[in-house]
PDB file of all heavy atoms in Angstrom:
ATOM      1  N   GLY A   1      18.270  33.174  -8.135  1.00 92.00           N
ATOM      2  CA  GLY A   1      17.622  32.132  -7.351  1.00 92.00           C
ATOM      3  C   GLY A   1      16.332  32.664  -6.655  1.00 92.00           C
ATOM      4  O   GLY A   1      15.475  31.819  -6.404  1.00 92.00           O
ATOM      5  N   SER A   2      16.341  33.887  -6.310  1.00 95.00           N
ATOM      6  CA  SER A   2      15.193  34.378  -5.573  1.00 95.00           C
ATOM      7  C   SER A   2      13.901  34.310  -6.366  1.00 95.00           C
ATOM      8  O   SER A   2      12.772  34.455  -5.851  1.00 95.00           O
ATOM      9  CB  SER A   2      15.403  35.753  -5.170  1.00 95.00           C
ATOM     10  OG  SER A   2      15.655  36.710  -6.226  1.00 95.00           O
ATOM     11  N   LEU A   3      14.041  34.294  -7.690  1.00 97.00           N
ATOM     12  CA  LEU A   3      12.815  34.175  -8.576  1.00 97.00           C
ATOM     13  C   LEU A   3      12.216  32.857  -8.558  1.00 97.00           C
ATOM     14  O   LEU A   3      11.079  32.650  -9.090  1.00 97.00           O
ATOM     15  CB  LEU A   3      13.235  34.493 -10.015  1.00 97.00           C
ATOM     16  CG  LEU A   3      13.718  35.869 -10.293  1.00 97.00           C
ATOM     17  CD1 LEU A   3      14.101  36.028 -11.833  1.00 97.00           C
ATOM     18  CD2 LEU A   3      12.717  36.992  -9.825  1.00 97.00           C
ATOM     19  N   PHE A   4      12.856  31.806  -8.038  1.00 97.00           N
ATOM     20  CA  PHE A   4      12.398  30.384  -8.066  1.00 97.00           C
ATOM     21  C   PHE A   4      12.078  29.813  -6.690  1.00 97.00           C
ATOM     22  O   PHE A   4      12.778  30.095  -5.681  1.00 97.00           O
ATOM     23  CB  PHE A   4      13.353  29.625  -8.850  1.00 97.00           C
ATOM     24  CG  PHE A   4      13.823  30.130 -10.178  1.00 97.00           C
ATOM     25  CD1 PHE A   4      14.827  30.786 -10.428  1.00 97.00           C
ATOM     26  CD2 PHE A   4      12.822  30.047 -11.223  1.00 97.00           C
ATOM     27  CE1 PHE A   4      15.293  31.276 -11.686  1.00 97.00           C
ATOM     28  CE2 PHE A   4      13.130  30.678 -12.512  1.00 97.00           C
ATOM     29  CZ  PHE A   4      14.330  31.214 -12.673  1.00 97.00           C
ATOM     30  N   MET A   5      11.209  28.890  -6.687  1.00 98.00           N
ATOM     31  CA  MET A   5      10.701  28.411  -5.369  1.00 98.00           C
ATOM     32  C   MET A   5      11.709  27.355  -4.898  1.00 98.00           C
ATOM     33  O   MET A   5      12.210  26.415  -5.715  1.00 98.00           O
ATOM     34  CB  MET A   5       9.413  27.629  -5.646  1.00 98.00           C
ATOM     35  CG  MET A   5       8.758  27.091  -4.265  1.00 98.00           C
ATOM     36  SD  MET A   5       7.202  26.219  -4.600  1.00 98.00           S
ATOM     37  CE  MET A   5       6.186  27.642  -5.175  1.00 98.00           C
ATOM     38  N   ASP A   6      12.081  27.326  -3.662  1.00 98.00           N
ATOM     39  CA  ASP A   6      12.838  26.223  -3.052  1.00 98.00           C
ATOM     40  C   ASP A   6      11.916  25.156  -2.763  1.00 98.00           C
ATOM     41  O   ASP A   6      11.002  25.212  -1.822  1.00 98.00           O
ATOM     42  CB  ASP A   6      13.511  26.712  -1.716  1.00 98.00           C
ATOM     43  CG  ASP A   6      14.330  25.712  -1.097  1.00 98.00           C
ATOM     44  OD1 ASP A   6      14.485  24.699  -1.631  1.00 98.00           O
ATOM     45  OD2 ASP A   6      14.760  25.946   0.150  1.00 98.00           O
ATOM     46  N   LEU A   7      12.105  24.047  -3.557  1.00 98.00           N
ATOM     47  CA  LEU A   7      11.261  22.842  -3.409  1.00 98.00           C
ATOM     48  C   LEU A   7      11.568  21.950  -2.229  1.00 98.00           C
ATOM     49  O   LEU A   7      10.876  21.009  -1.971  1.00 98.00           O
ATOM     50  CB  LEU A   7      11.253  22.050  -4.659  1.00 98.00           C
ATOM     51  CG  LEU A   7      10.908  22.772  -5.933  1.00 98.00           C
ATOM     52  CD1 LEU A   7      11.089  21.948  -7.227  1.00 98.00           C
ATOM     53  CD2 LEU A   7       9.506  23.308  -5.767  1.00 98.00           C
ATOM     54  N   THR A   8      12.678  22.265  -1.587  1.00 97.00           N
ATOM     55  CA  THR A   8      13.043  21.371  -0.467  1.00 97.00           C
ATOM     56  C   THR A   8      11.834  21.130   0.522  1.00 97.00           C
ATOM     57  O   THR A   8      11.579  20.071   0.985  1.00 97.00           O
ATOM     58  CB  THR A   8      14.271  21.942   0.240  1.00 97.00           C
ATOM     59  OG1 THR A   8      15.322  22.121  -0.622  1.00 97.00           O
ATOM     60  CG2 THR A   8      14.874  20.923   1.363  1.00 97.00           C
ATOM     61  N   PRO A   9      11.250  22.243   1.073  1.00 97.00           N
ATOM     62  CA  PRO A   9      10.218  22.080   2.120  1.00 97.00           C
ATOM     63  C   PRO A   9       8.828  21.675   1.352  1.00 97.00           C
ATOM     64  O   PRO A   9       7.930  21.371   2.061  1.00 97.00           O
ATOM     65  CB  PRO A   9      10.004  23.464   2.666  1.00 97.00           C
ATOM     66  CG  PRO A   9      10.508  24.344   1.677  1.00 97.00           C
ATOM     67  CD  PRO A   9      11.633  23.664   0.926  1.00 97.00           C
ATOM     68  N   GLU A  10       8.925  21.510   0.090  1.00 98.00           N
ATOM     69  CA  GLU A  10       7.633  21.128  -0.540  1.00 98.00           C
ATOM     70  C   GLU A  10       7.536  19.708  -1.043  1.00 98.00           C
ATOM     71  O   GLU A  10       6.693  19.295  -1.767  1.00 98.00           O
ATOM     72  CB  GLU A  10       7.486  22.116  -1.860  1.00 98.00           C
ATOM     73  CG  GLU A  10       7.610  23.534  -1.651  1.00 98.00           C
ATOM     74  CD  GLU A  10       6.607  24.167  -0.690  1.00 98.00           C
ATOM     75  OE1 GLU A  10       5.467  23.463  -0.369  1.00 98.00           O
ATOM     76  OE2 GLU A  10       6.876  25.165  -0.061  1.00 98.00           O
ATOM     77  N   LEU A  11       8.633  18.953  -0.730  1.00 98.00           N
ATOM     78  CA  LEU A  11       8.822  17.595  -1.209  1.00 98.00           C
ATOM     79  C   LEU A  11       7.615  16.701  -0.763  1.00 98.00           C
ATOM     80  O   LEU A  11       7.255  15.687  -1.315  1.00 98.00           O
ATOM     81  CB  LEU A  11      10.193  16.865  -0.726  1.00 98.00           C
ATOM     82  CG  LEU A  11      11.376  17.527  -1.577  1.00 98.00           C
ATOM     83  CD1 LEU A  11      12.629  16.886  -1.037  1.00 98.00           C
ATOM     84  CD2 LEU A  11      11.176  17.274  -3.074  1.00 98.00           C
ATOM     85  N   GLY A  12       6.899  16.997   0.352  1.00 97.00           N
ATOM     86  CA  GLY A  12       5.815  16.314   0.896  1.00 97.00           C
ATOM     87  C   GLY A  12       4.587  16.471  -0.139  1.00 97.00           C
ATOM     88  O   GLY A  12       3.849  15.466  -0.237  1.00 97.00           O
ATOM     89  N   SER A  13       4.640  17.574  -0.928  1.00 97.00           N
ATOM     90  CA  SER A  13       3.609  17.662  -1.994  1.00 97.00           C
ATOM     91  C   SER A  13       4.076  17.209  -3.270  1.00 97.00           C
ATOM     92  O   SER A  13       3.288  17.236  -4.321  1.00 97.00           O
ATOM     93  CB  SER A  13       3.191  19.165  -2.041  1.00 97.00           C
ATOM     94  OG  SER A  13       2.753  19.717  -1.007  1.00 97.00           O
ATOM     95  N   LEU A  14       5.332  16.580  -3.371  1.00 98.00           N
ATOM     96  CA  LEU A  14       5.923  16.080  -4.573  1.00 98.00           C
ATOM     97  C   LEU A  14       6.272  14.542  -4.355  1.00 98.00           C
ATOM     98  O   LEU A  14       7.534  14.299  -4.430  1.00 98.00           O
ATOM     99  CB  LEU A  14       7.049  16.973  -4.980  1.00 98.00           C
ATOM    100  CG  LEU A  14       6.756  18.451  -5.273  1.00 98.00           C
ATOM    101  CD1 LEU A  14       8.057  19.198  -5.345  1.00 98.00           C
ATOM    102  CD2 LEU A  14       5.967  18.628  -6.585  1.00 98.00           C
ATOM    103  N   PRO A  15       5.376  13.653  -4.026  1.00 98.00           N
ATOM    104  CA  PRO A  15       5.895  12.289  -3.745  1.00 98.00           C
ATOM    105  C   PRO A  15       6.579  11.650  -4.916  1.00 98.00           C
ATOM    106  O   PRO A  15       7.410  10.826  -4.537  1.00 98.00           O
ATOM    107  CB  PRO A  15       4.394  11.647  -3.419  1.00 98.00           C
ATOM    108  CG  PRO A  15       3.395  12.486  -4.107  1.00 98.00           C
ATOM    109  CD  PRO A  15       3.985  13.903  -4.063  1.00 98.00           C
ATOM    110  N   ASN A  16       6.230  11.936  -6.092  1.00 98.00           N
ATOM    111  CA  ASN A  16       6.886  11.341  -7.288  1.00 98.00           C
ATOM    112  C   ASN A  16       8.398  11.768  -7.267  1.00 98.00           C
ATOM    113  O   ASN A  16       9.311  11.078  -7.514  1.00 98.00           O
ATOM    114  CB  ASN A  16       6.282  11.668  -8.570  1.00 98.00           C
ATOM    115  CG  ASN A  16       4.978  10.899  -8.663  1.00 98.00           C
ATOM    116  OD1 ASN A  16       4.686   9.929  -8.139  1.00 98.00           O
ATOM    117  ND2 ASN A  16       4.025  11.564  -9.564  1.00 98.00           N
ATOM    118  N   VAL A  17       8.593  13.063  -7.031  1.00 98.00           N
ATOM    119  CA  VAL A  17       9.951  13.562  -6.998  1.00 98.00           C
ATOM    120  C   VAL A  17      10.710  13.145  -5.807  1.00 98.00           C
ATOM    121  O   VAL A  17      11.952  12.728  -5.879  1.00 98.00           O
ATOM    122  CB  VAL A  17       9.784  15.183  -6.975  1.00 98.00           C
ATOM    123  CG1 VAL A  17      11.284  15.719  -6.797  1.00 98.00           C
ATOM    124  CG2 VAL A  17       9.189  15.723  -8.041  1.00 98.00           C
ATOM    125  N   GLN A  18      10.143  12.925  -4.582  1.00 97.00           N
ATOM    126  CA  GLN A  18      10.774  12.320  -3.401  1.00 97.00           C
ATOM    127  C   GLN A  18      11.200  10.921  -3.645  1.00 97.00           C
ATOM    128  O   GLN A  18      12.315  10.617  -3.353  1.00 97.00           O
ATOM    129  CB  GLN A  18       9.885  12.525  -2.251  1.00 97.00           C
ATOM    130  CG  GLN A  18      10.517  11.895  -1.007  1.00 97.00           C
ATOM    131  CD  GLN A  18      11.616  12.667  -0.427  1.00 97.00           C
ATOM    132  OE1 GLN A  18      11.427  13.833  -0.033  1.00 97.00           O
ATOM    133  NE2 GLN A  18      12.903  12.154  -0.517  1.00 97.00           N
ATOM    134  N   ALA A  19      10.257  10.240  -4.343  1.00 97.00           N
ATOM    135  CA  ALA A  19      10.629   8.836  -4.612  1.00 97.00           C
ATOM    136  C   ALA A  19      11.849   8.647  -5.611  1.00 97.00           C
ATOM    137  O   ALA A  19      12.644   7.873  -5.419  1.00 97.00           O
ATOM    138  CB  ALA A  19       9.478   8.027  -5.270  1.00 97.00           C
ATOM    139  N   MET A  20      11.843   9.682  -6.503  1.00 96.00           N
ATOM    140  CA  MET A  20      13.048   9.671  -7.377  1.00 96.00           C
ATOM    141  C   MET A  20      14.312   9.987  -6.750  1.00 96.00           C
ATOM    142  O   MET A  20      15.370   9.380  -7.003  1.00 96.00           O
ATOM    143  CB  MET A  20      12.851  10.651  -8.497  1.00 96.00           C
ATOM    144  CG  MET A  20      13.980  10.920  -9.459  1.00 96.00           C
ATOM    145  SD  MET A  20      13.580  12.279 -10.661  1.00 96.00           S
ATOM    146  CE  MET A  20      13.516  13.736  -9.542  1.00 96.00           C
ATOM    147  N   PHE A  21      14.319  10.940  -5.815  1.00 94.00           N
ATOM    148  CA  PHE A  21      15.457  11.351  -5.045  1.00 94.00           C
ATOM    149  C   PHE A  21      15.909  10.176  -4.124  1.00 94.00           C
ATOM    150  O   PHE A  21      17.133   9.949  -3.962  1.00 94.00           O
ATOM    151  CB  PHE A  21      15.313  12.541  -4.183  1.00 94.00           C
ATOM    152  CG  PHE A  21      15.230  13.811  -4.963  1.00 94.00           C
ATOM    153  CD1 PHE A  21      14.585  14.914  -4.415  1.00 94.00           C
ATOM    154  CD2 PHE A  21      15.843  13.956  -6.104  1.00 94.00           C
ATOM    155  CE1 PHE A  21      14.570  16.111  -5.128  1.00 94.00           C
ATOM    156  CE2 PHE A  21      15.798  15.111  -6.933  1.00 94.00           C
ATOM    157  CZ  PHE A  21      15.097  16.321  -6.400  1.00 94.00           C
ATOM    158  N   ASP A  22      15.005   9.346  -3.633  1.00 92.00           N
ATOM    159  CA  ASP A  22      15.283   8.266  -2.725  1.00 92.00           C
ATOM    160  C   ASP A  22      15.990   7.258  -3.528  1.00 92.00           C
ATOM    161  O   ASP A  22      16.898   6.614  -3.115  1.00 92.00           O
ATOM    162  CB  ASP A  22      14.078   7.653  -2.160  1.00 92.00           C
ATOM    163  CG  ASP A  22      13.404   8.631  -1.131  1.00 92.00           C
ATOM    164  OD1 ASP A  22      14.154   9.536  -0.660  1.00 92.00           O
ATOM    165  OD2 ASP A  22      12.188   8.527  -0.751  1.00 92.00           O
ATOM    166  N   ALA A  23      15.492   6.924  -4.837  1.00 91.00           N
ATOM    167  CA  ALA A  23      16.001   5.824  -5.652  1.00 91.00           C
ATOM    168  C   ALA A  23      17.285   6.277  -6.441  1.00 91.00           C
ATOM    169  O   ALA A  23      18.126   5.449  -6.654  1.00 91.00           O
ATOM    170  CB  ALA A  23      14.963   5.430  -6.655  1.00 91.00           C
ATOM    171  N   GLU A  24      17.371   7.532  -6.615  1.00 89.00           N
ATOM    172  CA  GLU A  24      18.616   8.165  -7.424  1.00 89.00           C
ATOM    173  C   GLU A  24      19.170   9.353  -6.557  1.00 89.00           C
ATOM    174  O   GLU A  24      18.894  10.468  -6.872  1.00 89.00           O
ATOM    175  CB  GLU A  24      18.140   8.601  -8.777  1.00 89.00           C
ATOM    176  CG  GLU A  24      17.557   7.562  -9.681  1.00 89.00           C
ATOM    177  CD  GLU A  24      18.725   6.891 -10.458  1.00 89.00           C
ATOM    178  OE1 GLU A  24      19.973   7.179 -10.163  1.00 89.00           O
ATOM    179  OE2 GLU A  24      18.412   5.955 -11.190  1.00 89.00           O
ATOM    180  N   PRO A  25      20.111   9.019  -5.523  1.00 84.00           N
ATOM    181  CA  PRO A  25      20.512  10.052  -4.735  1.00 84.00           C
ATOM    182  C   PRO A  25      21.312  11.190  -5.493  1.00 84.00           C
ATOM    183  O   PRO A  25      21.351  12.265  -5.141  1.00 84.00           O
ATOM    184  CB  PRO A  25      21.434   9.318  -3.708  1.00 84.00           C
ATOM    185  CG  PRO A  25      20.906   7.931  -3.677  1.00 84.00           C
ATOM    186  CD  PRO A  25      20.418   7.680  -5.062  1.00 84.00           C
ATOM    187  N   TYR A  26      21.953  10.659  -6.547  1.00 86.00           N
ATOM    188  CA  TYR A  26      22.740  11.643  -7.375  1.00 86.00           C
ATOM    189  C   TYR A  26      21.922  12.758  -8.022  1.00 86.00           C
ATOM    190  O   TYR A  26      22.292  13.853  -8.292  1.00 86.00           O
ATOM    191  CB  TYR A  26      23.586  10.940  -8.471  1.00 86.00           C
ATOM    192  CG  TYR A  26      24.550  11.898  -9.130  1.00 86.00           C
ATOM    193  CD1 TYR A  26      25.559  12.513  -8.372  1.00 86.00           C
ATOM    194  CD2 TYR A  26      24.458  12.065 -10.561  1.00 86.00           C
ATOM    195  CE1 TYR A  26      26.401  13.326  -9.048  1.00 86.00           C
ATOM    196  CE2 TYR A  26      25.405  12.842 -11.198  1.00 86.00           C
ATOM    197  CZ  TYR A  26      26.374  13.503 -10.472  1.00 86.00           C
ATOM    198  OH  TYR A  26      27.227  14.265 -11.213  1.00 86.00           O
ATOM    199  N   ALA A  27      20.547  12.279  -8.305  1.00 90.00           N
ATOM    200  CA  ALA A  27      19.640  13.252  -8.888  1.00 90.00           C
ATOM    201  C   ALA A  27      19.430  14.468  -7.964  1.00 90.00           C
ATOM    202  O   ALA A  27      19.325  15.612  -8.283  1.00 90.00           O
ATOM    203  CB  ALA A  27      18.280  12.647  -9.179  1.00 90.00           C
ATOM    204  N   ARG A  28      19.421  14.228  -6.641  1.00 89.00           N
ATOM    205  CA  ARG A  28      19.294  15.320  -5.640  1.00 89.00           C
ATOM    206  C   ARG A  28      20.498  16.103  -5.566  1.00 89.00           C
ATOM    207  O   ARG A  28      20.508  17.331  -5.355  1.00 89.00           O
ATOM    208  CB  ARG A  28      18.808  14.667  -4.322  1.00 89.00           C
ATOM    209  CG  ARG A  28      18.613  15.764  -3.273  1.00 89.00           C
ATOM    210  CD  ARG A  28      17.914  15.343  -2.059  1.00 89.00           C
ATOM    211  NE  ARG A  28      17.529  16.438  -1.170  1.00 89.00           N
ATOM    212  CZ  ARG A  28      16.520  16.338  -0.284  1.00 89.00           C
ATOM    213  NH1 ARG A  28      15.819  15.325  -0.031  1.00 89.00           N
ATOM    214  NH2 ARG A  28      16.347  17.417   0.440  1.00 89.00           N
ATOM    215  N   VAL A  29      21.695  15.428  -5.805  1.00 85.00           N
ATOM    216  CA  VAL A  29      22.887  16.214  -5.654  1.00 85.00           C
ATOM    217  C   VAL A  29      22.972  17.273  -6.815  1.00 85.00           C
ATOM    218  O   VAL A  29      23.341  18.430  -6.468  1.00 85.00           O
ATOM    219  CB  VAL A  29      24.114  15.287  -5.863  1.00 85.00           C
ATOM    220  CG1 VAL A  29      25.441  16.101  -6.001  1.00 85.00           C
ATOM    221  CG2 VAL A  29      24.218  14.346  -4.631  1.00 85.00           C
ATOM    222  N   VAL A  30      22.652  16.885  -8.070  1.00 88.00           N
ATOM    223  CA  VAL A  30      22.767  17.848  -9.090  1.00 88.00           C
ATOM    224  C   VAL A  30      21.602  18.918  -9.066  1.00 88.00           C
ATOM    225  O   VAL A  30      21.817  19.802  -9.721  1.00 88.00           O
ATOM    226  CB  VAL A  30      22.655  17.109 -10.470  1.00 88.00           C
ATOM    227  CG1 VAL A  30      23.841  16.056 -10.541  1.00 88.00           C
ATOM    228  CG2 VAL A  30      21.387  16.426 -10.758  1.00 88.00           C
ATOM    229  N   SER A  31      20.588  18.624  -8.191  1.00 91.00           N
ATOM    230  CA  SER A  31      19.419  19.534  -8.143  1.00 91.00           C
ATOM    231  C   SER A  31      19.606  20.450  -6.973  1.00 91.00           C
ATOM    232  O   SER A  31      18.892  21.320  -6.773  1.00 91.00           O
ATOM    233  CB  SER A  31      18.183  18.813  -7.875  1.00 91.00           C
ATOM    234  OG  SER A  31      17.909  17.877  -8.962  1.00 91.00           O
ATOM    235  N   THR A  32      20.791  20.342  -6.153  1.00 89.00           N
ATOM    236  CA  THR A  32      20.868  21.173  -4.937  1.00 89.00           C
ATOM    237  C   THR A  32      21.956  22.301  -5.214  1.00 89.00           C
ATOM    238  O   THR A  32      22.962  22.108  -5.686  1.00 89.00           O
ATOM    239  CB  THR A  32      21.283  20.315  -3.828  1.00 89.00           C
ATOM    240  OG1 THR A  32      20.389  19.194  -3.595  1.00 89.00           O
ATOM    241  CG2 THR A  32      21.471  21.065  -2.468  1.00 89.00           C
ATOM    242  N   THR A  33      21.613  23.472  -4.756  1.00 89.00           N
ATOM    243  CA  THR A  33      22.503  24.638  -4.954  1.00 89.00           C
ATOM    244  C   THR A  33      23.537  24.647  -3.853  1.00 89.00           C
ATOM    245  O   THR A  33      23.428  23.855  -2.900  1.00 89.00           O
ATOM    246  CB  THR A  33      21.618  25.901  -4.915  1.00 89.00           C
ATOM    247  OG1 THR A  33      21.087  25.996  -3.565  1.00 89.00           O
ATOM    248  CG2 THR A  33      20.575  26.019  -5.915  1.00 89.00           C
ATOM    249  N   THR A  34      24.488  25.620  -3.962  1.00 87.00           N
ATOM    250  CA  THR A  34      25.524  25.604  -3.009  1.00 87.00           C
ATOM    251  C   THR A  34      24.994  26.004  -1.590  1.00 87.00           C
ATOM    252  O   THR A  34      25.705  25.655  -0.634  1.00 87.00           O
ATOM    253  CB  THR A  34      26.616  26.678  -3.447  1.00 87.00           C
ATOM    254  OG1 THR A  34      25.821  27.902  -3.639  1.00 87.00           O
ATOM    255  CG2 THR A  34      27.226  26.280  -4.785  1.00 87.00           C
ATOM    256  N   ASP A  35      23.786  26.635  -1.500  1.00 88.00           N
ATOM    257  CA  ASP A  35      23.288  26.937  -0.145  1.00 88.00           C
ATOM    258  C   ASP A  35      22.194  25.940   0.236  1.00 88.00           C
ATOM    259  O   ASP A  35      21.380  26.201   1.176  1.00 88.00           O
ATOM    260  CB  ASP A  35      22.826  28.357  -0.099  1.00 88.00           C
ATOM    261  CG  ASP A  35      21.811  28.691  -1.182  1.00 88.00           C
ATOM    262  OD1 ASP A  35      21.530  27.794  -2.015  1.00 88.00           O
ATOM    263  OD2 ASP A  35      21.253  29.752  -1.201  1.00 88.00           O
ATOM    264  N   GLY A  36      22.134  24.727  -0.439  1.00 88.00           N
ATOM    265  CA  GLY A  36      21.292  23.720   0.096  1.00 88.00           C
ATOM    266  C   GLY A  36      19.833  23.736  -0.444  1.00 88.00           C
ATOM    267  O   GLY A  36      19.067  23.045   0.124  1.00 88.00           O
ATOM    268  N   LYS A  37      19.530  24.610  -1.427  1.00 93.00           N
ATOM    269  CA  LYS A  37      18.150  24.552  -1.896  1.00 93.00           C
ATOM    270  C   LYS A  37      17.972  23.842  -3.135  1.00 93.00           C
ATOM    271  O   LYS A  37      18.890  23.497  -3.858  1.00 93.00           O
ATOM    272  CB  LYS A  37      17.849  26.095  -2.209  1.00 93.00           C
ATOM    273  CG  LYS A  37      17.788  27.085  -0.997  1.00 93.00           C
ATOM    274  CD  LYS A  37      17.546  28.552  -1.523  1.00 93.00           C
ATOM    275  CE  LYS A  37      17.564  29.481  -0.386  1.00 93.00           C
ATOM    276  NZ  LYS A  37      17.366  30.873  -0.720  1.00 93.00           N
ATOM    277  N   ILE A  38      16.711  23.332  -3.409  1.00 95.00           N
ATOM    278  CA  ILE A  38      16.306  22.664  -4.641  1.00 95.00           C
ATOM    279  C   ILE A  38      15.560  23.532  -5.379  1.00 95.00           C
ATOM    280  O   ILE A  38      14.293  23.753  -5.100  1.00 95.00           O
ATOM    281  CB  ILE A  38      15.633  21.344  -4.275  1.00 95.00           C
ATOM    282  CG1 ILE A  38      16.528  20.284  -3.518  1.00 95.00           C
ATOM    283  CG2 ILE A  38      15.115  20.689  -5.533  1.00 95.00           C
ATOM    284  CD1 ILE A  38      15.798  19.058  -3.055  1.00 95.00           C
ATOM    285  N   LEU A  39      16.053  24.287  -6.310  1.00 96.00           N
ATOM    286  CA  LEU A  39      15.427  25.308  -7.130  1.00 96.00           C
ATOM    287  C   LEU A  39      14.865  24.736  -8.552  1.00 96.00           C
ATOM    288  O   LEU A  39      14.227  25.436  -9.189  1.00 96.00           O
ATOM    289  CB  LEU A  39      16.348  26.429  -7.318  1.00 96.00           C
ATOM    290  CG  LEU A  39      16.686  27.200  -6.162  1.00 96.00           C
ATOM    291  CD1 LEU A  39      17.608  28.333  -6.555  1.00 96.00           C
ATOM    292  CD2 LEU A  39      15.624  27.642  -5.296  1.00 96.00           C
ATOM    293  N   GLY A  40      14.994  23.458  -8.707  1.00 96.00           N
ATOM    294  CA  GLY A  40      14.590  22.807  -9.962  1.00 96.00           C
ATOM    295  C   GLY A  40      14.616  21.354  -9.799  1.00 96.00           C
ATOM    296  O   GLY A  40      15.422  20.801  -9.072  1.00 96.00           O
ATOM    297  N   THR A  41      13.802  20.703 -10.609  1.00 97.00           N
ATOM    298  CA  THR A  41      13.804  19.210 -10.570  1.00 97.00           C
ATOM    299  C   THR A  41      14.431  18.727 -11.863  1.00 97.00           C
ATOM    300  O   THR A  41      14.301  19.378 -13.054  1.00 97.00           O
ATOM    301  CB  THR A  41      12.277  18.642 -10.613  1.00 97.00           C
ATOM    302  OG1 THR A  41      11.538  19.219 -11.602  1.00 97.00           O
ATOM    303  CG2 THR A  41      11.717  18.948  -9.180  1.00 97.00           C
ATOM    304  N   PRO A  42      15.176  17.580 -11.925  1.00 95.00           N
ATOM    305  CA  PRO A  42      15.864  17.104 -12.988  1.00 95.00           C
ATOM    306  C   PRO A  42      15.132  16.123 -13.879  1.00 95.00           C
ATOM    307  O   PRO A  42      13.960  15.789 -13.770  1.00 95.00           O
ATOM    308  CB  PRO A  42      17.010  16.419 -12.347  1.00 95.00           C
ATOM    309  CG  PRO A  42      16.324  15.696 -11.118  1.00 95.00           C
ATOM    310  CD  PRO A  42      15.190  16.698 -10.655  1.00 95.00           C
ATOM    311  N   THR A  43      15.753  15.735 -15.000  1.00 95.00           N
ATOM    312  CA  THR A  43      15.442  14.682 -15.800  1.00 95.00           C
ATOM    313  C   THR A  43      16.409  13.469 -15.363  1.00 95.00           C
ATOM    314  O   THR A  43      17.575  13.727 -15.355  1.00 95.00           O
ATOM    315  CB  THR A  43      15.466  14.847 -17.360  1.00 95.00           C
ATOM    316  OG1 THR A  43      14.524  15.849 -17.642  1.00 95.00           O
ATOM    317  CG2 THR A  43      15.226  13.598 -18.061  1.00 95.00           C
ATOM    318  N   VAL A  44      15.924  12.377 -15.177  1.00 95.00           N
ATOM    319  CA  VAL A  44      16.688  11.193 -14.742  1.00 95.00           C
ATOM    320  C   VAL A  44      16.471  10.121 -15.849  1.00 95.00           C
ATOM    321  O   VAL A  44      15.304   9.634 -16.020  1.00 95.00           O
ATOM    322  CB  VAL A  44      16.495  10.766 -13.382  1.00 95.00           C
ATOM    323  CG1 VAL A  44      17.339   9.434 -13.188  1.00 95.00           C
ATOM    324  CG2 VAL A  44      16.875  11.737 -12.384  1.00 95.00           C
TER     325      VAL A  44
END
């Protein structure tokens, strides 16, 4: 996980991704690690 960027604090720069998470909450669930990070974005 340390090789990849945690996108959680970067969602302000990812408005399309944030809109997807708002519309599809489960997409954020499957994208979140056990320690609360978002290390990748999904396909929905």
Side-chain angles (χ1 to χ4, degrees):
S2 62
L3 296 179
F4 305 105
M5 184 184 299
D6 178 10
L7 299 177
T8 309
E10 311 299 339
L11 289 176
S13 299
L14 299 168
N16 291 334
V17 176
Q18 181 64 70
M20 174 181 63
F21 286 157
D22 291 342
E24 296 275 2
Y26 188 60
R28 182 160 187 161
V29 171
V30 303
S31 303
T32 305
T33 64
T34 56
D35 55 356
K37 296 178 181 178
I38 298 175
L39 297 181
T41 55
T43 294
V44 176

